Amino acid sequence: MADAAIRRLSLAEEQSSVVDRPAAGSRKRTYSVPQFLDDALMLVGRGPNVARAWREQTIDPLLREKVMLAVAAVNQSRLSAFVHSELALERGATRAELAQLSGLDGITAFDAELVAVAWARSRAEARLGSASSHLRQALRKHYSPLQRADLDTVVRVATLISRAGNTLEAGLERLRGRPAADNRMVDEVIVGGCYLAGALLVGLLLALQRRVSPLRIVKRFRRFRSELASVHVIH
């Protein structure tokens, strides 16, 4: 199974020519139901390889959360950025480190963690296409084939979560009388509903872990969203 995951990563890196890059200043990336199902079924097809990235810790759990936060930032997902910043903080990250994930100019190939995060951002910016050639080379230098396969899985999971979260937000904006021009209500209801169910579960787990009221988690998210707006991390 590990060999299959590695082959899938190599194939993904070769498919950059067929993946469209988002235009600068484009709206938040959301899902249609078919797109959501395609990405979800791809992860389901990987089966145990998805669980391995979390259970066997072939990559550091803190790095995993930083990668997911970087992908959420690229996809402009406030909900996902909040969850993964909270999880990263629990695993020892500093707020300064998390802030750095929003702008990684000047990354070199000498810091394995920064290479992984920069590579993840590049994949997310290419809509899961190939990262730039120098980042692919740097990743190969610092990580084994199995670790690269697991990083690919983490990027795909983060993309699914952040785009589904954006779809929920689009539905909420529709209720406020501000529908997105290219979105369909049926997509927002179905995809957003799936995300909401998962988000409620994660919120409850965070509250239980910290032994606080779920309302306190909601207040933290609102404060987090305000902080993002003030520093223009996610527009």
Side-chain angles (χ1 to χ4, degrees), residues 7-213:
R7 286 196 297 272
R8 278 194 291 268
L9 174 57
S10 299
L11 179 62
E13 290 182 340
E14 294 169 359
Q15 291 178 332
S16 59
S17 61
V18 298
V19 179
D20 56 324
R21 293 181 178 273
S26 60
R27 67 179 177 83
K28 289 185 178 183
R29 296 170 181 173
T30 58
Y31 269 134
S32 66
V33 171
Q35 290 171 338
F36 176 72
L37 290 176
D38 283 347
D39 282 0
L41 289 174
M42 175 179 289
L43 289 171
V44 169
R46 294 192 175 195
N49 294 327
V50 176
R52 185 186 63 225
W54 271 260
R55 291 181 181 175
E56 297 184 16
Q57 298 186 6
T58 54
I59 54 178
D60 181 63
L62 176 56
L63 173 60
R64 184 184 65 225
E65 296 305 329
K66 289 181 177 180
V67 164
M68 296 191 77
L69 178 58
V71 173
V74 170
N75 287 306
Q76 302 181 51
S77 175
R78 293 175 295 186
L79 292 169
S80 294
F82 168 72
V83 169
H84 295 294
S85 66
E86 291 291 302
L87 292 174
L89 287 169
E90 283 190 357
R91 289 177 168 84
T94 66
R95 293 195 177 276
E97 286 178 310
L98 300 186
Q100 187 181 26
L101 298 182
S102 65
L104 294 170
D105 295 336
I107 288 295
T108 70
F110 300 107
D111 188 316
E113 183 178 90
L114 292 181
V115 165
V117 173
W119 173 84
R121 284 180 58 87
S122 185
R123 290 290 310 281
E125 288 165 355
R127 297 182 186 270
L128 297 181
S130 179
S132 60
S133 59
H134 73 280
L135 284 174
R136 295 201 305 272
Q137 292 171 2
L139 197 75
R140 293 189 185 102
K141 175 181 176 180
H142 291 287
Y143 295 94
S144 70
L146 184 61
Q147 288 174 316
R148 296 200 304 271
D150 283 350
L151 283 168
D152 177 70
T153 295
V154 171
V155 169
R156 291 180 180 276
V157 169
T159 297
L160 182 77
I161 293 171
S162 58
R163 289 185 64 182
N166 284 347
T167 308
L168 172 63
E169 286 198 82
L172 297 175
E173 286 298 299
R174 183 182 295 276
L175 293 176
R176 298 184 184 105
R178 299 189 293 267
D182 299 328
N183 281 19
R184 300 187 309 165
M185 184 168 64
V186 63
D187 296 321
E188 294 165 358
V189 170
I190 295 174
V191 177
C194 291
Y195 180 89
L196 181 60
L200 290 173
L201 177 60
V202 171
L204 288 173
L205 289 175
L206 280 173
L208 287 173
Q209 287 176 353
R210 298 183 177 186
R211 298 180 180 179
V212 299
S213 164

